[in-house]
Amino acid sequence: MPRRIVIIGAHAAGIDAASAARKTDRTAEITLITKQAKAGYSPCGIPFVLGRHIPSFDNLVVFPPAYYRMMKLDLRLETTATNVDTEAKTVKIEDKTGKQETLHYDSLIIATGAYPFVPPIKGREKKGVYVLRTIKDGEIIDKAIGEAKNATVIGAGLIGLETAVAFTERGLKTTVVELLPYVLPLMLDEDMARIVQKMLEEKGVTVITKNAANEILGADKITGVSVGGERIPADIVVVATGIRANTELAKNAGIIIGDTRGIKTNMRMETNIKDVYAVGDCAESTSLVTHRPILSQLGTTAVRQAKVAGINAAGGYAAFLGCLGSAVTKLFDTEIGATGVTEFMAGRAGMKTVSATLTSKTRPEYYPGALPIKIKLVVEKNTELLVGAQIIGGEEVPQRINALSFAIQKQMTIRELAKADTCYAPPLNETWEPMVLAAELVMRKL
Amino acid sequence: MPRRIVIIGAHAAGIDAASAARKTDRTAEITLITKQAKAGYSPCGIPFVLGRHIPSFDNLVVFPPAYYRMMKLDLRLETTATNVDTEAKTVKIEDKTGKQETLHYDSLIIATGAYPFVPPIKGREKKGVYVLRTIKDGEIIDKAIGEAKNATVIGAGLIGLETAVAFTERGLKTTVVELLPYVLPLMLDEDMARIVQKMLEEKGVTVITKNAANEILGADKITGVSVGGERIPADIVVVATGIRANTELAKNAGIIIGDTRGIKTNMRMETNIKDVYAVGDCAESTSLVTHRPILSQLGTTAVRQAKVAGINAAGGYAAFLGCLGSAVTKLFDTEIGATGVTEFMAGRAGMKTVSATLTSKTRPEYYPGALPIKIKLVVEKNTELLVGAQIIGGEEVPQRINALSFAIQKQMTIRELAKADTCYAPPLNETWEPMVLAAELVMRKL
């Protein structure tokens, strides 16, 4: 009898798990279940559709129907998994017509993702208050932009800032409200975050930090947001204060949830219950720096976990060793990236670190088009190991983050980085690579 | 008495050595000697001035006169070092007026660079045949372009191709002649080189490989180049068949020259003679992959060697561990980079390797502006260590080369690379980083 693999969730994590399972076991019966009407799209692209960089939401669908046919995946759209019985190895599902069915599995992969967390702000239930997670959310906001003049985004994380940029690009007067002292608090330290904030302000975005949105004002139609006693006008409010792992189904099935609120897994992405795996935004990882559990909730982590779970669920062997939370974005023309831990996060984890920030250019001064770049490196004091990096600049930030991510993964010391062999050509970059110069700067403080 | 440091050569290597020496010893007397009328410029930028990407040759001067004053460096322009006596620790110099002087040194740094090697092609002495190494060479060629219609470049290395691109951009019908079977033979394997060749041909450059330039034709004015019995019309011929280390002065002083024709040094960049160092295009390095001597002759290697020699010459301690020959260029809109060894070079060094080439895009398919990228990885078969990489693409090639250079330096296995944590954002790159996918491709062949 063919192996039966059931996957709950059909975005990056679910589908990459299914693909890996299919490549491992050609005859397995693989069923994908999703509540949504569309599967296999890139949610990370949504703010860039709002900003009109991508023509339409349909473009975000990365896996067309033909893919499921080719890979022989049984995709059930608009279908909800209502119960998992890990003794009987069954999943109860219900489609949009209310029809119920019980699926038997040999391996189960939970890729239920996460939902936008909306704090209890007074008036949050009003019309005109949105979250941004699905294409449906995106379509609703896109429509609302048409008639709006002012927007407020609550939360200055990646999604919040990307959405604020899109609003500004669409001509809305936009305000971002962040409870914490600075923007992108999961990626950057305060000194680097201030640079991003200044850039946003120069582009016309109003940024209010260290303040809560107290109330969403207006009756039928919202008119503004009350922040620290002040009224900020707003026709649209987007709440982007973070996401929470969808773990109810798992919890009800007796699966252990970790302190991060994500599902606990081992190196094979298996939960505490045999043959049940968890991947993506609902699943924990281990930090390669602190060796503690973290909830990465990045697409790149999701697909890497998914591949490992898919192989294991199909009878193969693969291990996921952890992640660094390497992340990047582009806000207007500025690229912002980070990997490993920030100075602040390292301190909270009890690590003693030394940091330095280098300011340089992306190309030689004499080559037209050189752009500024700022690199902050965080180094563990005793071992002199690189443990984190933050970069803000106009060119090649993502691949510098990848280079430093490789360095952290391979336990490069700051002395090794200061001697690293790099490439150079005038139209592309500088003789002395800024990452190397930043390493020297840290060494002087050791 | 202050320490006396004499440096022969005043470009990247010489000046970076001087700067490092000054930072190590504030009171040292540091003298820089150069034959040229201009010091401290970037020769790598010359082809890009010819192509009009950089406004003028003067822009290439990276170290202005104020720099030498600030760093208290005694710069002697248009001055030749005629003899080194390592017993007496003296250098004889002669300025352009014929005035001679004997300098005493405590430490000597030889940064004499390299000269363009011109093979014995019939007619090579004719007017209209040039080499491209100095700003003076560049100015002469720039002037010659004005009246020319056809150009031939002999040699398809980095300088040869960059010059051919510049000629094409300036409207000249340009032909490149290469003796070896493919272009960029020190950077790329044949399969990758073919892609570059095709791109050049599409842009209008004629590329002839596996053929020697037999004769330069014409009397008063050159009219063409004879290649394999065919006559290629040419008003300008640039010979770019490689450079040779300037080692005569060192050789005459009893300093040992290695098999690479470069000056032999130890880890401190010291030659076989105490207190005499050698750096830059005239000095050998050790390959971090093969652990054999190589002549890197790259600006990035030069400055790293120079810093080490400068510190040691001034009484400090620093070590240069070797290099990977990481290199990159931009030809028209295509970025081309390499690090470590090619498949071909690995084979010649007796290594057994496995390689694979991945074709992907720089951004998600749905994000406008995604460009093609091709990544070839070379892996040592028994250890599964990454030993080389070649990349051709439209975006972020330099920093991908740096990332893979870090991976090679830190002995990353191909399995580790296939699991590496990378960053992602739709406007910038793909969820599955092409370097990681290329690693998977290699793994399937192991």
Side-chain angles (χ1 to χ4, degrees):
Chain A
M1 207 173 84
R3 186 192 312 269
R4 294 158 303 183
I5 302 170
V6 173
I7 300 169
I8 306 171
H11 282 304
I15 295 174
D16 272 31
S19 306
R22 171 57 71 229
K23 285 173 195 165
T24 309
D25 182 345
R26 280 163 191 255
T27 63
E29 283 173 8
I30 304 173
T31 309
L32 285 152
I33 295 154
T34 179
K35 284 182 199 177
Q36 292 184 44
K38 278 178 187 167
Y41 64 79
S42 162
C44 304
I46 297 171
F48 303 96
V49 180
L50 290 180
R52 296 280 195 254
H53 299 281
I54 302 167
S56 106
F57 289 107
D58 289 336
N59 294 118
L60 300 182
V61 178
V62 179
F63 297 96
Y67 184 80
Y68 307 99
R69 286 196 299 273
M70 183 184 76
M71 296 297 274
K72 294 202 182 80
L73 306 175
D74 180 9
L75 172 66
R76 313 282 187 98
L77 295 170
E78 294 178 271
T79 299
T80 307
T82 54
N83 190 62
V84 171
D85 182 336
T86 60
E87 291 284 327
K89 296 186 111 174
T90 58
V91 179
K92 260 200 196 140
I93 60 171
E94 187 177 316
D95 73 10
K96 65 169 169 176
T97 68
K99 210 186 96 191
Q100 298 196 345
E101 195 181 337
T102 299
L103 302 178
H104 290 263
Y105 70 77
D106 297 302
S107 300
L108 174 68
I109 300 174
I110 299 173
T112 43
Y115 66 94
F117 166 71
V118 179
I121 303 162
K122 206 178 156 191
R124 67 174 172 175
E125 72 293 341
K126 288 181 183 167
K127 201 176 162 291
V129 181
Y130 308 107
V131 294
L132 183 51
R133 175 81 184 161
T134 63
I135 281 189
K136 210 172 156 189
D137 297 333
E139 285 169 340
I140 292 168
I141 294 171
D142 195 42
K143 215 174 147 189
I145 290 175
E147 301 140 26
K149 285 209 173 81
N150 300 291
T152 293
V153 176
I154 302 171
L158 276 176
I159 298 294
L161 293 191
E162 285 170 358
T163 305
V165 168
F167 284 155
T168 309
E169 288 171 333
R170 292 284 292 278
L172 272 64
K173 207 177 150 3
T174 305
T175 302
V176 177
V177 183
E178 170 61 49
L179 185 64
L180 294 174
Y182 51 91
V183 302
L184 295 174
L186 295 177
M187 276 176 79
L188 303 179
D189 283 313
E190 182 157 4
D191 53 338
M192 295 295 273
R194 290 278 164 241
I195 297 162
V196 174
Q197 182 173 339
K198 193 165 164 253
M199 177 279 292
L200 290 170
E201 287 165 349
E202 282 167 7
K203 292 282 187 179
V205 181
T206 304
V207 181
I208 302 171
T209 57
K210 242 179 167 171
N211 260 293
N214 306 116
E215 186 180 349
I216 291 154
L217 308 167
D220 263 17
K221 238 179 127 300
I222 65 165
T223 57
V225 180
S226 164
V227 179
E230 223 185 306
R231 183 190 159 278
I232 298 157
D235 317 299
I236 300 181
V237 171
V238 169
V239 182
T241 47
I243 55 173
R244 293 266 168 95
N246 283 318
T247 55
E248 220 184 87
L249 192 71
K251 215 184 292 178
N252 292 341
I255 292 165
I256 293 176
I257 311 300
D259 292 337
T260 66
R261 302 188 204 218
I263 299 170
K264 266 215 165 324
T265 64
N266 63 18
M267 247 174 35
R268 299 186 68 191
M269 299 315 297
E270 199 171 26
T271 67
N272 63 305
I273 291 173
K274 199 175 170 304
D275 297 324
V276 180
Y277 301 84
V279 296
D281 290 354
C282 66
E284 273 187 353
S285 309
T286 303
S287 160
L288 289 171
V289 172
T290 65
H291 305 289
R292 294 182 193 181
I294 49 166
L295 205 52
S296 157
Q297 298 186 322
L298 293 165
T300 42
T301 305
V303 295
R304 293 193 298 125
Q305 291 178 332
K307 185 179 274 187
V308 167
I311 291 169
N312 290 325
Y317 177 84
F320 180 76
L321 300 177
C323 74
L324 283 177
S326 305
V328 73
T329 190
K330 191 175 179 184
L331 301 177
F332 297 109
D333 295 323
T334 302
E335 301 178 3
I336 300 149
T339 184
V341 291
T342 61
E343 205 181 344
F344 177 79
M345 277 163 17
R348 285 227 311 198
M351 289 170 75
K352 283 221 167 155
T353 59
V354 176
S355 303
T357 303
L358 179 102
T359 305
S360 184
K361 291 274 181 111
T362 53
R363 303 180 196 173
E365 280 289 349
Y366 61 75
Y367 206 96
L371 295 169
I373 187 162
K374 241 186 163 76
I375 301 185
K376 175 171 183 167
L377 298 180
V378 183
V379 172
E380 204 280 326
K381 202 177 160 74
N382 285 319
T383 57
E384 298 187 356
L385 290 172
L386 181 70
V387 292
Q390 300 157 51
I391 311 184
I392 302 170
E395 279 183 305
E396 296 212 58
V397 170
Q399 297 305 332
R400 281 192 174 92
I401 288 296
N402 285 349
L404 295 170
S405 164
F406 289 3
I408 297 173
Q409 287 166 78
K410 287 300 296 178
Q411 306 206 283
M412 193 182 263
T413 66
I414 198 71
R415 279 175 209 281
E416 287 175 316
L417 182 54
K419 281 177 183 287
D421 188 290
T422 56
C423 64
Y424 149 69
L428 298 169
N429 56 356
E430 259 285 28
T431 320
W432 282 107
E433 165 55 37
M435 295 186 288
V436 169
L437 295 179
E440 276 201 357
L441 219 53
V442 178
M443 274 173 58
R444 282 188 222 155
K445 297 168 88 178
L446 277 170
Chain B
M1 207 175 79
R3 185 192 313 268
R4 295 158 302 183
I5 301 171
V6 173
I7 300 169
I8 306 172
H11 282 304
I15 295 175
D16 272 31
S19 305
R22 172 57 71 229
K23 285 172 195 165
T24 309
D25 182 344
R26 279 161 191 257
T27 64
E29 284 174 7
I30 303 173
T31 309
L32 285 152
I33 294 154
T34 179
K35 284 182 199 177
Q36 292 184 45
K38 278 179 186 166
Y41 63 80
S42 162
C44 305
I46 298 171
F48 303 96
V49 180
L50 290 179
R52 296 280 196 254
H53 298 280
I54 301 167
S56 105
F57 289 107
D58 289 337
N59 294 119
L60 299 182
V61 179
V62 180
F63 297 96
Y67 184 81
Y68 307 98
R69 285 197 298 273
M70 183 184 77
M71 296 296 274
K72 295 201 182 81
L73 306 176
D74 179 8
L75 172 65
R76 311 283 187 97
L77 295 170
E78 295 177 90
T79 299
T80 306
T82 54
N83 189 60
V84 172
D85 183 337
T86 61
E87 291 284 326
K89 295 186 113 176
T90 57
V91 179
K92 260 201 195 137
I93 61 172
E94 187 177 317
D95 73 10
K96 64 170 171 177
T97 68
K99 209 186 98 191
Q100 297 196 344
E101 194 181 337
T102 298
L103 303 178
H104 289 263
Y105 69 79
D106 297 301
S107 300
L108 173 67
I109 299 175
I110 299 174
T112 42
Y115 65 94
F117 166 71
V118 179
I121 303 162
K122 205 177 157 193
R124 66 175 174 175
E125 72 293 340
K126 289 181 182 168
K127 199 177 164 289
V129 182
Y130 309 107
V131 293
L132 182 52
R133 175 80 186 163
T134 63
I135 282 188
K136 209 170 157 192
D137 296 333
E139 285 168 341
I140 292 168
I141 294 172
D142 194 42
K143 215 175 147 189
I145 290 175
E147 301 140 26
K149 285 211 174 81
N150 300 291
T152 294
V153 177
I154 301 172
L158 275 176
I159 299 295
L161 293 190
E162 285 169 358
T163 305
V165 168
F167 284 155
T168 309
E169 289 170 333
R170 292 283 292 276
L172 271 63
K173 207 178 150 1
T174 305
T175 303
V176 178
V177 182
E178 169 63 48
L179 186 64
L180 294 175
Y182 50 91
V183 301
L184 295 174
L186 295 177
M187 276 177 80
L188 304 178
D189 283 312
E190 182 157 4
D191 53 338
M192 295 295 274
R194 289 279 164 238
I195 297 163
V196 174
Q197 183 174 339
K198 195 166 163 252
M199 178 278 293
L200 290 170
E201 287 166 348
E202 282 167 5
K203 293 280 189 182
V205 181
T206 304
V207 181
I208 301 171
T209 57
K210 241 179 168 168
N211 260 294
N214 306 116
E215 187 180 349
I216 290 153
L217 308 167
D220 262 17
K221 236 178 127 302
I222 64 165
T223 57
V225 180
S226 165
V227 179
E230 223 184 307
R231 184 191 159 278
I232 299 158
D235 318 298
I236 300 181
V237 171
V238 170
V239 182
T241 47
I243 55 173
R244 292 265 168 96
N246 282 319
T247 55
E248 219 183 271
L249 192 72
K251 215 184 292 180
N252 293 341
I255 291 164
I256 293 176
I257 312 299
D259 292 336
T260 66
R261 303 188 204 218
I263 298 171
K264 266 215 164 324
T265 65
N266 63 17
M267 247 174 34
R268 298 186 69 191
M269 299 314 298
E270 201 172 24
T271 66
N272 62 306
I273 291 172
K274 199 175 170 303
D275 298 326
V276 180
Y277 301 84
V279 296
D281 290 354
C282 66
E284 272 187 354
S285 308
T286 303
S287 160
L288 289 171
V289 171
T290 65
H291 306 289
R292 294 184 192 179
I294 49 168
L295 206 52
S296 157
Q297 298 186 321
L298 292 165
T300 42
T301 304
V303 294
R304 292 192 300 123
Q305 291 178 333
K307 184 179 277 187
V308 167
I311 291 169
N312 290 325
Y317 178 82
F320 180 76
L321 300 177
C323 73
L324 283 178
S326 306
V328 73
T329 189
K330 191 176 179 184
L331 302 177
F332 298 109
D333 295 324
T334 302
E335 301 178 3
I336 300 150
T339 184
V341 291
T342 61
E343 205 182 344
F344 177 79
M345 277 162 19
R348 285 228 310 199
M351 290 170 74
K352 283 219 168 157
T353 59
V354 176
S355 303
T357 303
L358 179 102
T359 304
S360 185
K361 292 275 182 110
T362 53
R363 303 180 195 172
E365 281 289 348
Y366 62 75
Y367 206 96
L371 295 169
I373 187 162
K374 241 185 164 72
I375 301 185
K376 176 171 183 167
L377 298 180
V378 183
V379 172
E380 204 279 326
K381 201 177 160 73
N382 285 318
T383 57
E384 299 187 354
L385 290 172
L386 182 69
V387 293
Q390 299 157 50
I391 311 184
I392 302 171
E395 280 184 304
E396 295 213 57
V397 170
Q399 297 306 330
R400 280 191 174 92
I401 288 297
N402 286 349
L404 295 170
S405 164
F406 290 3
I408 297 173
Q409 287 165 78
K410 287 300 295 178
Q411 305 207 285
M412 193 182 263
T413 66
I414 197 71
R415 280 175 208 280
E416 288 174 317
L417 181 54
K419 281 178 183 284
D421 189 290
T422 56
C423 63
Y424 150 70
L428 297 170
N429 57 354
E430 258 286 27
T431 320
W432 281 107
E433 164 56 36
M435 295 187 287
V436 169
L437 295 179
E440 276 202 357
L441 219 53
V442 178
M443 274 173 59
R444 284 189 220 154
K445 296 168 88 179
L446 278 169

